[in-house]
Amino acid sequence: QVQLVESGGGLVQAGGSLRLSCAASGRTFYGYAMAWFRQAPGKEREFVAAINWNTGTTSYSDSVKGRFTISRDSAKNTVYLQMNSLKPEDTAVYYCAARRGGNAPNNGAYNYWGQGTQVTVSS
């Protein structure tokens, strides 16, 4: 059974950085895409970034492009989200997700989800 466990969230000032981790277990993830989504209070869950496990191909939402970097460590079965130049509007619960196939920006395409980690950016 696939399990995704996020960590690394917290409180940071605007302009600061955080690195989120997603520890994946339960199977080999070759042939999968791993992604980060986020959901702010009162808003829908939105796509942040995705990475193809095999090729390392990445994709980003326009709102985080140039500030966030998604990466994976195959040996550790872990996906990371390095977040720099954080803004108050980045405040949300961040979720890790996985799907068989290529990167996709829609949350309905993902079969597996973690429990989420809170990121709060103060102004």
Side-chain angles (χ1 to χ4, degrees):
Q1 179 161 343
V2 172
Q3 283 194 316
L4 304 174
V5 180
E6 303 96 334
S7 61
L11 174 64
V12 64
Q13 287 189 332
S17 299
L18 280 176
R19 188 177 80 157
L20 305 183
S21 299
C22 172
S25 62
R27 61 159 297 120
T28 176
F29 290 92
Y30 286 97
Y32 274 63
M34 310 294 289
W36 288 94
F37 286 78
R38 66 187 183 186
Q39 188 167 19
K43 295 189 176 181
E44 293 187 353
R45 191 171 297 189
E46 66 171 356
F47 172 76
V48 175
I51 187 166
N52 182 290
W53 196 271
N54 294 19
T55 66
T57 301
T58 59
S59 54
Y60 297 91
S61 69
D62 288 343
S63 61
V64 307
K65 200 173 295 183
R67 300 188 297 123
F68 291 10
T69 303
I70 188 170
S71 62
R72 66 52 171 127
D73 184 330
S74 299
K76 296 182 178 179
N77 253 22
T78 299
V79 177
Y80 302 99
L81 184 69
Q82 178 67 44
M83 306 186 294
N84 298 329
S85 302
L86 282 161
K87 305 175 182 179
E89 52 263 44
D90 294 317
T91 295
V93 177
Y94 283 71
Y95 297 91
C96 179
R99 70 181 296 267
R100 182 187 294 273
N103 295 353
N106 48 311
N107 58 22
Y110 290 81
N111 308 102
Y112 305 103
W113 292 86
Q115 82 289 350
T117 186
Q118 176 71 46
V119 172
T120 302
V121 184
S122 63
S123 57

